[in-house]
Amino acid sequence: MRAGIGYDIHPLVEGRKLYIGGVEIPSSKGLLGHSDGDVLIHSICDALLGAIGYGNIGELFPDTDEKFKDARSEIFLKEVKRILDEKNFEIINIDSVVILEEVKLSPFIQQIKRNLSLILELPIEKISIKPKRNEKFDSMGRGDAVACFTIVLVKSKGSNYNEHGANP
Ligand code: MG
């Protein structure tokens, strides 16, 4: 078993669509980033990559690469899932906290979990997403940014694993 932690934050600005966990959330503002700025998917990718010792999202999908400009972040998660499969790891569970002030995320949580469940081929009960407000404190609390923390647990299914993680 190996645990991983992921964190991400993006500015919340006018004129962008808001994607959280691959689901478009109705909002006058969206997340600014090289890709669609989906903090939840980015933090899940980093947590999974961290758990298997395979670098981070910025190394795999650099923001200097035009290919990823305005990309939907689901493609990153699909690639991370492919790497986990290739390295013979299974996901035990995912637990995330999304810190977002102005938009009520709770009506969309089931849809977000279903979407992540499909991409990761993981039963929905193994995915936890908890929306949280920062009660007007700091950039998240002022509605200027959205942040996300994620922890994951993964399990090695076979011989590709050694004590150094998934890297050869
Ligand atoms: Mg990011």
Side-chain angles (χ1 to χ4, degrees):
M1 296 270 203
R2 293 172 66 108
I5 184 168
Y7 168 75
D8 198 23
I9 184 168
H10 280 264
L12 191 59
V13 299
E14 299 283 350
R16 296 269 296 181
K17 286 184 174 175
L18 178 61
Y19 290 103
I20 303 280
V23 172
E24 189 182 339
I25 311 292
S27 166
S28 63
K29 293 179 182 174
L31 293 172
L32 187 63
H34 185 66
S35 66
D36 62 6
D38 192 326
V39 285
L40 175 56
I41 286 188
H42 295 181
S43 80
I44 291 174
C45 286
D46 259 355
L48 290 168
L49 292 169
I52 67 166
Y54 205 86
N56 65 63
I57 190 171
E59 290 167 11
L60 286 185
F61 315 107
D63 63 9
T64 47
D65 193 333
E66 276 303 303
K67 193 166 62 189
F68 303 126
K69 177 105 182 70
D70 292 322
R72 291 293 304 280
S73 295
E74 286 167 306
I75 64 167
F76 306 149
L77 192 59
K78 284 175 185 163
E79 173 62 10
V80 169
K81 163 68 175 152
R82 192 197 62 75
I83 293 167
L84 284 170
D85 287 344
E86 183 184 281
K87 303 296 178 187
N88 237 352
F89 281 95
E90 75 173 285
I91 302 168
I92 303 299
N93 78 306
I94 295 173
D95 189 15
S96 293
V97 179
V98 182
I99 305 165
L100 170 153
E101 195 78 11
E102 289 176 355
V103 184
K104 211 168 159 43
L105 207 54
S106 48
F108 302 97
I109 291 294
Q110 272 310 107
Q111 198 184 337
I112 292 169
K113 283 186 188 176
R114 246 193 327 270
N115 191 42
L116 298 174
S117 155
L118 286 171
I119 295 170
L120 293 170
E121 297 169 53
L122 188 66
I124 207 162
E125 311 78 53
K126 295 190 166 196
I127 302 171
S128 159
I129 316 277
K130 306 185 297 290
K132 196 85 186 167
R133 289 177 200 286
N134 247 14
E135 306 296 344
K136 309 288 178 200
F137 289 112
D138 67 37
S139 59
M140 281 92 79
R142 285 193 306 269
D144 293 336
V146 178
C148 185
F149 295 91
T150 296
I151 62 164
V152 299
L153 196 62
V154 302
K155 184 180 169 189
S156 166
K157 292 191 291 183
S159 56
N160 285 356
Y161 168 73
N162 62 45
E163 71 272 24
H164 304 300
N167 278 328

